[in-house]
Amino acid sequence: MRLSRITTLGGLFLTTALTITLAAPAAAQAATTPLGDANVGVYTGQADQKKPTIPADVKPAIAVSADQIAIQEPRKGGGLVIRLYHLAPGASPNAVLTGLRARGLAPAGVTAQAEADPMECTTSYGSAKYLCLKTGSHLWFNWRWNGFDDPQVYFRDFTPAAWPVRASVTEWNRSPGVDSYWTTGACPGGGRHCVPVRTVSGGPNGIVGETHMEVDSVAFFIDGTVSVDFNTYYSSSDDNRGTACHELGHALGLAHNGSTGSCLYNSAIAGPDPRLPHSTDISVLRYILYAD
């Protein structure tokens, strides 16, 4: 027999319940055991990583593929502004980019580059990648610890039930090194991070989802600047789970994955989108959180 605690965040209330389940065979238990730390959200005085400073002369960049448009611009006061647009199947990247330029969301006069350059870095963990600035040391983007044993990231869900954000947060919380929470209420303060997740009525603009983020001069995400939006025009019961998983992965610092088994796969596939992170995504997320 096993006791487990289920904690649900909603509004200003925290509800805790005990459930009793019969012990499963060892193999089955291993498959369902969360990979994250058992002591979630413990304040230990953990220091943040030591990272190089982003060069002051970083230029704007646009990376385009059939699946995504990624835009990087210098941030006033230091750091970077990054916008990632997940494209609908069949959408014309050039047409979408033209629309973004018309709205002032893409820098004028900047030539688009192949997606792998300059905002995606590789590791030895298969085909999974992380978001980065390709300086000499490959600066990676991630969340601060702010004294906790792991960075505390709350995804504040404003979406209707058609978008299974909660299920995707649960999957990403299996990663060691970061504690991800789902809430429909206000995010707590005290060094914890908050990422609003919303739906927008964007119409047939070719954009399924968007992740916006800003990083400071040493490439840590800046609180209040990271957000995720889904375009209701492209809502699909087959693909919403995969889209949610995809954009939340970006909000944690991951780029694309060449594996068709990953929700961060970088191309459209026949049938429903992959709904879950791949084991290599989890490995790379752990890598950028423990790199120093």
Side-chain angles (χ1 to χ4, degrees):
M1 183 174 291
R2 177 172 59 88
L3 289 177
S4 62
R5 187 173 64 186
I6 301 173
T7 304
T8 303
L9 291 165
L12 299 177
F13 299 96
L14 186 67
T15 303
T16 303
L18 285 178
T19 62
I20 300 177
T21 59
L22 295 177
Q29 283 189 331
T32 57
T33 300
L35 300 176
D37 294 338
N39 299 318
V40 175
V42 177
Y43 189 88
T44 61
Q46 172 70 37
D48 292 321
Q49 294 165 317
K50 301 297 183 183
K51 298 196 284 186
T53 300
I54 293 176
D57 59 351
V58 172
K59 301 293 190 295
I62 301 173
V64 175
S65 73
D67 179 70
Q68 177 179 270
I69 294 176
I71 297 170
Q72 167 190 292
E73 296 184 88
R75 179 178 179 272
K76 186 177 180 180
L80 298 169
V81 177
I82 301 103
R83 291 185 289 274
L84 306 175
Y85 299 95
H86 183 186
L87 304 186
S92 165
N94 289 335
V96 174
L97 181 57
T98 298
L100 293 173
R101 290 190 196 275
R103 294 162 56 196
L105 296 174
V110 177
T111 302
Q113 304 177 49
E115 182 178 345
D117 187 11
M119 283 167 268
E120 297 195 356
C121 289
T122 60
T123 69
S124 59
Y125 298 104
S127 57
K129 302 175 184 177
Y130 60 95
L131 296 171
C132 68
L133 174 67
K134 287 189 174 180
T135 61
S137 55
H138 284 200
L139 267 170
W140 60 98
F141 307 151
N142 62 334
W143 291 99
R144 288 185 180 274
W145 276 251
N146 287 338
F148 287 92
D149 57 339
D150 294 319
Q152 306 291 295
V153 183
Y154 285 73
F155 290 95
R156 187 176 183 185
D157 188 5
F158 293 91
T159 69
W163 295 90
V165 174
R166 182 177 188 174
S168 294
V169 172
T170 299
E171 291 301 326
W172 283 117
N173 192 46
R174 295 178 183 275
S175 172
V178 62
D179 295 331
S180 302
Y181 302 83
W182 175 86
T183 180
T184 57
C187 298
R192 299 168 180 87
H193 310 293
C194 190
V195 179
V197 183
R198 301 183 175 93
T199 53
V200 296
S201 299
N205 62 4
I207 299 171
V208 175
E210 172 189 351
T211 302
H212 177 280
M213 57 189 72
E214 297 182 20
V215 297
D216 61 21
S217 60
V218 287
F220 284 114
F221 293 129
I222 299 172
D223 284 308
T225 72
V226 182
S227 62
V228 171
D229 292 305
F230 307 127
N231 186 352
T232 57
Y233 181 85
Y234 297 103
S235 178
S236 160
S237 58
D238 282 341
D239 297 332
N240 286 359
R241 173 75 178 270
T243 299
C245 180
H246 187 109
E247 301 305 325
L248 267 56
H250 287 328
L252 291 172
L254 293 176
H256 285 146
N257 192 328
S259 170
T260 56
S262 169
C263 65
L264 284 163
Y265 184 60
N266 55 1
S267 297
I269 63 172
D273 287 346
R275 296 184 168 198
L276 303 174
H278 192 268
S279 60
T280 54
D281 297 318
I282 301 300
S283 295
V284 171
L285 186 55
R286 179 184 177 91
Y287 170 82
I288 63 174
L289 288 162
Y290 286 103
D292 216 344

